[in-house]
Amino acid sequence: MKPKAIFNWSSGKDSALALYKILKEDQFEVTSLLTSINKEFQRISMHGVPVSLLEKQAESLGLNLIKMEIPKEPSMEEYQKIMSETMNEIKSQGVTHSIFGDIFLEDLKEYREKQLETIGMKAFFPLWKQNTTDLIHEFLDLGFKTIVTCVNETYLDKSFAGRIIDKDFIKDLPVNVDPCGENGEFHTFTFDGPIFKNPIEFEIGETVIKTYPKPKTDESDGGEYVFWFCDLTEK
């Protein structure tokens, strides 16, 4: 009997490719998708994608969706409490593993593993340490289609928001930007590919700027993170 697993779904390309590999290898029984939602705006955290499009993805994937609602600006204690309650409920249903699309952020991987260990679950990373240039080309060669929904202005300008990722997009990326955006340079919404029963239809809206305060430290007075979001709406 295959172990039961929850899949941490961001709606973007890394999640889609990781899920493709998990389903192809048939190592786990994926019971549900788990997605963090901004409770106030009803959008996927950081990606800015509305819940209605997330639900369309889950429907096309044929998987149950668990939406974990997070306050607009939660403290670490609030976040961990919500996550712990959610994961304990999932574990009570016989789920033993939590799958992530992370590629090479060591601190994040360690955090996820430690948090799951406290409740007796294990983390699994199907894309871990793989070459990100190879991954983005594999993603495109498999027939996946994805659009950039958010860019970090530290790395990319407004013009990259709302672009479909293709070979030209990859060529246009500055040399300091990871081709999979693994350092938070950009986020995406995947709307078609081999794991979907049908493409997700959407309309492209306006691109808006949003700022978030940086945490103050002994070395820094804080400041702001600046992001450009391309609004997507259900068609």
Side-chain angles (χ1 to χ4, degrees):
M1 184 180 294
K2 292 180 291 187
K4 291 184 177 182
I6 191 83
F7 191 95
N8 292 267
W9 180 257
S10 70
S11 82
K13 57 180 175 35
D14 297 342
S15 280
L17 184 57
L19 181 59
Y20 168 84
K21 290 177 179 289
I22 288 294
L23 296 176
K24 184 179 180 181
E25 293 169 6
D26 199 28
Q27 182 178 349
F28 296 95
E29 177 190 343
V30 180
T31 61
S32 302
L33 305 175
L34 173 63
T35 306
S36 296
I37 304 296
N38 183 304
K39 186 175 183 179
E40 179 177 346
F41 298 111
Q42 287 298 295
R43 290 176 179 264
I44 300 173
S45 301
M46 283 313 301
H47 288 238
V49 175
V51 167
S52 59
L53 289 178
L54 169 65
E55 291 170 342
K56 291 289 185 182
Q57 281 185 322
E59 181 182 349
S60 183
L61 290 168
L63 289 168
N64 179 52
L65 174 64
I66 299 173
K67 292 173 282 189
M68 186 175 70
E69 294 191 334
I70 305 292
K72 183 180 177 181
E73 294 180 9
S75 65
M76 183 56 72
E77 290 75 17
E78 287 178 303
Y79 178 82
Q80 289 182 339
K81 181 176 184 294
I82 295 169
M83 176 61 80
S84 178
E85 291 174 351
T86 301
M87 295 309 298
N88 273 301
E89 173 61 27
I90 289 170
K91 183 190 175 186
S92 72
Q93 298 168 16
V95 176
T96 58
H97 289 73
S98 187
I99 303 171
F100 301 90
D102 301 314
I103 304 172
F104 55 63
L105 298 180
E106 294 279 2
D107 290 348
L108 184 57
K109 180 176 184 288
E110 184 178 338
Y111 171 78
R112 298 195 195 287
E113 290 173 332
K114 285 183 176 180
Q115 292 301 308
L116 287 168
E117 186 179 354
T118 62
I119 60 169
M121 290 181 66
K122 294 181 179 180
F124 190 78
F125 303 85
L127 304 183
W128 189 247
K129 290 296 185 180
Q130 295 187 38
N131 182 284
T132 50
T133 299
D134 293 342
L135 286 176
I136 193 62
H137 285 288
E138 179 184 4
F139 176 85
L140 295 176
D141 291 343
L142 285 167
F144 281 106
K145 296 179 181 179
T146 196
I147 184 171
V148 177
T149 58
C150 168
V151 299
N152 184 335
E153 197 180 59
T154 302
Y155 303 98
L156 297 170
D157 63 42
K158 178 183 178 181
S159 68
F160 283 88
R163 284 185 62 174
I164 303 293
I165 292 186
D166 55 16
K167 301 296 173 78
D168 288 336
F169 176 91
I170 299 169
K171 290 178 183 176
D172 290 342
L173 290 175
V175 293
N176 65 325
V177 172
D178 181 82
C180 282
E182 183 65 357
N183 298 304
E185 297 100 326
F186 61 92
H187 299 288
T188 58
F189 173 75
T190 300
F191 57 90
D192 198 6
I195 56 177
F196 293 97
K197 296 175 184 175
N198 52 266
I200 314 303
E201 296 188 351
F202 62 93
E203 293 184 347
I204 299 176
E206 63 179 335
T207 298
V208 298
I209 190 170
K210 293 188 178 181
T211 59
Y212 301 90
K214 292 182 179 180
K216 293 184 178 181
T217 65
D218 293 338
E219 295 79 24
S220 171
D221 291 331
E224 290 183 328
Y225 293 111
V226 180
F227 293 89
W228 289 99
F229 285 88
C230 176
D231 190 29
L232 305 182
T233 58
E234 188 176 354
K235 193 169 184 179

